Amino acid sequence: SLAKCKSVFDTRYMRRSDCPIAATLDLIGDRWTLVVLRDILLVHRYGFSEIAAKEGIATNIKVDRLDRLVEAGLLERRVDDADRRRRTYLPTERAIELIPILVDLLVWGHANTGAPGRAEAARAARADRNAVIRDLESAARENSAAMRA
């Protein structure tokens, strides 16, 4: 049966299980959410039009995923002072905690799916996972702090 989520992670949706893995998948396990997080956390794309642009995500789907991530406390939505129509999405510490998982998915995907993209990043992570994670976490924090200033 579905249990109402009691955490700040997801107040609008139901989780299917008390299992932490299943609950995490309920939040970030759909087709597009990890792609959105990849662009923000690994590629440092923060503008609405930049996020998941290469994959051709439909606008309504992207809006929904970004809204869910903001509501869950993984992203912060910012309005551009110069152009009030422009939105940027900055990762919170909760999102930055997902970087090791994304790096592991990148390495696994490169080795097991035949997808050729980000080969250099996958090789670097395979050679020194901790250094790559540390650099990505630092960049995410620094970029977010600079954009908040």
Side-chain angles (χ1 to χ4, degrees):
S1 76
L2 295 176
K4 188 70 175 166
C5 185
K6 295 177 182 157
S7 76
V8 70
F9 263 109
D10 202 359
T11 57
R12 187 170 56 148
Y13 299 92
M14 304 294 276
R15 67 177 146 85
R16 296 170 286 166
S17 164
D18 286 335
C19 171
I21 293 171
T24 300
L25 289 173
D26 288 342
L27 179 62
I28 64 169
D30 68 87
R31 179 177 177 181
W32 292 109
T33 302
L34 286 174
V35 173
V36 167
L37 288 169
R38 174 209 63 198
D39 277 6
I40 293 169
L41 293 168
L42 304 186
V43 188
H44 313 297
R45 293 181 183 140
Y46 305 111
F48 180 86
S49 62
E50 304 166 327
I51 297 167
K54 290 183 179 180
E55 282 76 17
I57 184 173
T59 300
N60 63 318
I61 301 294
K62 187 182 338 185
V63 166
D64 179 71
R65 296 321 182 267
L66 289 166
D67 286 349
R68 287 184 70 179
L69 292 169
V70 167
E71 184 178 312
L74 293 167
L75 299 179
E76 176 187 342
R77 181 184 297 115
R78 307 278 294 192
V79 177
D80 188 324
D81 290 333
D83 181 354
R84 306 282 303 156
R85 296 169 297 169
R86 181 168 161 73
R87 305 281 187 267
T88 55
Y89 295 85
L90 304 177
T92 64
E93 278 301 312
R94 180 173 280 150
I96 291 169
E97 291 174 4
L98 291 169
I99 288 174
I101 295 166
L102 292 172
V103 167
D104 289 344
L105 284 171
L106 171 70
V107 169
W108 188 91
H110 184 260
N112 293 286
T113 67
R118 313 248 328 138
E120 195 63 37
R123 280 192 287 278
R126 198 174 299 107
D128 192 347
R129 176 183 181 273
N130 291 336
V132 168
I133 290 168
R134 187 173 48 253
D135 290 348
L136 287 167
E137 290 172 341
S138 293
R141 288 183 184 102
E142 289 168 13
N143 291 341
S144 291
M147 293 181 79
R148 285 182 181 99

